[in-house]
Amino acid sequence: FPRILGHEAGGMVESVGEGVTELKPGDHVLPCFTGECGDCRHCNSEESNLCDTLRFNTDRGVMLNDGKTRFTKNGQPIYHFLGTSTFSEYTVVHVGCVAKINPAAPLDKICVLSCGVSTGMGATLNVAKPKKGQSVAVFGLGAVGLAACEGARMAGAGRIIGVDLNPGRFSVAKNFGVTEFVNPKDHDKPVQEVIAEMTDGGVDRAVECTGSFHAMIQAFECVHDGWGVAVLVGVPSNDDAFKTHPLNFLNERTLKGTAFGNYKPRTDLPTQVEKYMNKELELDKFITHSVAFSEINKAFDYMQKGQSIRCIIRMDA
């Protein structure tokens, strides 16, 4: 610290640095917290989006090429955040963390694809991969969790069980395909046992979107033996530990993790934008509020109180 936060946005290229040929001033882009250099083993693999050079790093606060920040105030450095620092009218981003998209797409809508919606939706569609008619449990019904529910709906899941401690989330979640709700506070037994009883032994797929290691364990232990798959999306604290009995693996449950829903940002985000433009992908329902940049603290209040899904910050106001 001090840092300029923010990592989900849409914008326009103002200028490009030396050697940048993929972009030009005026291009419409989505900056991304994880990048795609296009050259490393991960970028060249169909099985990974974890770029060796540009994968997300919460500790790095400077540009890669010279180890320096591009922000200052009164001669003192202000550091970058997740390579994007989008709570700013202007920012400087590595070219590999910028996806060029259709200029006709509304930036105040598709900006949600640059992190939350892609992460949750991709966790279900690209990693959990439920088959039509299968059951899916989603832990955490914030924006990422609701996007995971939306992915389950798009995949044709037969039952989508939303799990959250905030009962106010449940009515909203119906708009994203959720068919049943579980609040762990309403039960005197572990929620994984509740879900197993609801589903004759466990759900086919589970997606955890909370960052709580307790929820991670619950998500894994609530999937059916033999074929159940659980996917971890939330980011835990550094000291957290995942503990479960090895028999849960020996009984053929599968545990996976994902970053950014396994999407390669520069390759895949333009396609997702086109799906929105073709009305194949709903984004508007994720956006519940909009505030001026000068009132950004209102957006944090909405988030902390669980009143919003996504709040758009208008930089021109």
Side-chain angles (χ1 to χ4, degrees):
F1 291 100
R3 283 185 170 195
I4 296 176
L5 300 178
H7 69 282
E8 186 174 272
M12 293 175 61
V13 175
E14 186 271 338
S15 60
V16 298
E18 182 179 352
V20 174
T21 58
E22 302 95 326
L23 299 168
K24 64 182 184 304
D27 283 344
H28 286 216
V29 295
L30 296 178
C32 299
F33 70 96
T34 188
E36 181 184 355
C37 72
D39 296 321
C40 69
R41 289 183 66 189
H42 285 277
C43 286
N44 287 320
S45 169
E46 295 181 355
E47 300 182 67
S48 174
N49 66 337
L50 296 176
C51 176
D52 279 333
T53 304
L54 299 169
R55 74 174 61 183
F56 67 98
N57 183 337
T58 57
D59 295 327
R60 187 175 64 238
V62 295
M63 299 296 288
L64 284 175
N65 67 323
D66 60 6
K68 297 179 180 179
T69 177
R70 297 298 186 266
F71 303 110
T72 60
K73 182 179 181 181
N74 299 326
Q76 297 300 311
I78 300 176
Y79 296 97
H80 301 243
F81 175 66
L82 285 172
T84 53
S85 292
T86 58
F87 291 161
S88 174
E89 293 178 279
Y90 292 87
T91 188
V92 182
V93 180
H94 191 288
V95 65
C97 293
V98 178
K100 181 180 177 180
I101 50 96
N102 185 343
L107 291 172
D108 61 346
K109 299 289 193 290
I110 61 167
C111 58
V112 297
L113 284 170
S114 71
C115 179
V117 173
S118 296
T119 297
M121 193 166 56
T124 304
L125 293 174
N126 299 335
V127 187
K129 298 180 180 178
K131 298 176 182 177
K132 189 172 182 178
Q134 287 190 322
S135 56
V136 180
V138 176
F139 288 71
L141 299 177
V144 176
L146 291 174
C149 296
E150 182 75 355
R153 184 192 68 79
M154 294 168 66
R159 299 174 70 180
I160 304 175
I161 302 170
V163 183
D164 202 290
L165 297 172
N166 180 358
R169 294 284 192 189
F170 294 164
S171 61
V172 174
K174 293 178 182 178
N175 296 325
F176 298 85
V178 173
T179 57
E180 299 158 78
F181 308 98
V182 175
N183 185 339
K185 292 181 179 179
D186 294 339
H187 301 274
D188 57 4
K189 63 177 67 175
V191 71
Q192 55 267 51
E193 294 182 16
V194 174
I195 293 173
E197 291 175 2
M198 293 171 59
T199 55
D200 190 23
V203 289
D204 302 301
R205 303 288 186 265
V207 184
E208 177 281 324
C209 302
T210 70
S212 162
F213 76 94
H214 296 292
M216 294 177 180
I217 295 169
Q218 292 162 357
F220 176 56
E221 294 183 352
C222 83
V223 299
H224 206 289
D225 58 7
W227 61 80
V229 177
V231 178
L232 307 186
V233 180
V235 181
S237 299
N238 289 336
D239 297 331
D240 287 342
F242 186 98
K243 183 179 180 181
T244 190
H245 198 283
L247 276 176
N248 286 320
F249 292 99
L250 295 175
N251 286 330
E252 300 182 14
R253 294 177 177 90
T254 299
L255 180 65
K256 295 184 175 184
T258 180
F260 196 51
N262 276 41
Y263 287 116
K264 295 179 187 287
R266 291 202 293 169
T267 297
D268 296 326
L269 280 187
T271 302
Q272 296 304 107
V273 170
E274 292 307 311
K275 288 183 179 179
Y276 171 76
M277 297 297 285
N278 294 330
K279 303 188 184 310
E280 300 171 23
L281 180 61
E282 296 183 57
L283 297 179
D284 298 53
K285 62 185 179 183
F286 287 93
I287 301 168
T288 55
H289 297 77
S290 176
V291 300
F293 187 38
S294 59
E295 298 180 318
I296 191 172
N297 284 341
K298 285 186 178 180
F300 282 100
D301 289 338
Y302 293 141
M303 178 181 69
Q304 290 178 328
K305 293 176 181 177
Q307 296 175 343
S308 70
I309 301 176
R310 273 294 183 264
C311 179
I312 302 300
I313 311 299
R314 302 189 310 274
M315 287 295 177
D316 58 350

